[in-house]
Amino acid sequence: MSDFFENLFNHVHNAVTHFPIALLFVSAGMDYFAGKRPGLRSGAWLLLVLGTLGTVAATVTGLLAHLAYEDDSILLSAIDRHQYLGFATTALFVGLTAWRWRSMHRGSDVGGTRVYLAVALFGLAVLGLTGFVGGNLLTEWGIGVKGITR
Ligand code: HEM
């Protein structure tokens, strides 16, 4: 049973990360195409909030997943790049969500404006890079993969 929890603790990050990646890309797409359709606009807002919560969950679970490599400086330096990209992604989307939330409380949603979409696009580029570098931790470095003998 303890093996089960150790496994869950070490690998829950891999499951969690798919949520912010999917939700935030769809949120920006919905904002881009929403035009004057309020349903799409509020859907984009909901996905932004859920996706941003997902980045926070990814950061927490990522920090937990990396603990197993604390004593290996080479693997740790590979993880570091991904870690800082993850922090940047999270900060960008928390900032975007806070900005949009404030604008909505002042009566005019910034979602879908050019500046908003430009920041969201930049955030998605950093998020995409974070995911790519994260995937490389498994495929190039074998981090989080139990060795198999053939
Ligand atoms: C927005 C934040 C983050 C996103 C979107 C993200 C995304 C990813 C992705 C897509 C993978 C590959 C998973 C797979 O192929 O199954 C991964 C792996 C990994 N990430 Fe992150 N990550 C984030 C933050 C962090 C942070 C802050 C750390 C802390 C060091 C971290 C540590 C790891 C580790 C150690 C792995 C290797 C696989 C494992 O042992 O779970 N991640 N990440």
Side-chain angles (χ1 to χ4, degrees):
M1 201 61 176
S2 77
D3 272 1
F4 170 78
F5 283 111
E6 195 181 332
N7 202 302
L8 190 69
F9 185 79
N10 286 336
H11 300 300
V12 71
H13 180 63
N14 302 8
V16 166
T17 57
H18 297 82
F19 288 93
I21 295 170
L23 298 177
L24 293 170
F25 271 88
V26 177
S27 170
M30 280 169 78
D31 264 324
Y32 183 74
F33 290 109
K36 297 211 179 302
R37 280 168 289 192
L40 275 186
R41 189 71 68 207
S42 51
W45 163 242
L46 178 65
L47 296 189
L48 175 72
V49 173
L50 295 176
T52 301
L53 290 174
T55 63
V56 176
T59 298
V60 173
T61 54
L63 286 170
L64 292 178
H66 103 286
L67 291 178
Y69 306 94
E70 275 285 285
D71 55 359
D72 188 318
S73 60
I74 295 178
L75 291 183
L76 211 56
S77 68
I79 294 173
D80 265 358
R81 202 157 42 122
H82 172 66
Q83 174 178 319
Y84 293 123
L85 281 166
F87 289 162
T89 302
T90 306
L92 271 162
F93 281 101
V94 167
L96 197 68
T97 305
W99 177 38
R100 187 163 183 177
W101 183 77
R102 270 190 71 180
S103 78
M104 288 166 74
H105 275 259
R106 289 175 175 173
S108 73
D109 185 0
V110 288
T113 61
R114 272 168 193 237
V115 187
Y116 176 90
L117 287 174
V119 180
L121 204 63
F122 178 67
L124 292 181
V126 181
L127 170 64
L129 195 62
T130 305
F132 176 71
V133 174
N136 277 353
L137 292 180
L138 282 89
T139 56
E140 302 298 313
W141 295 86
I143 292 171
V145 179
K146 198 166 186 170
I148 52 169
T149 314
R150 287 184 198 274

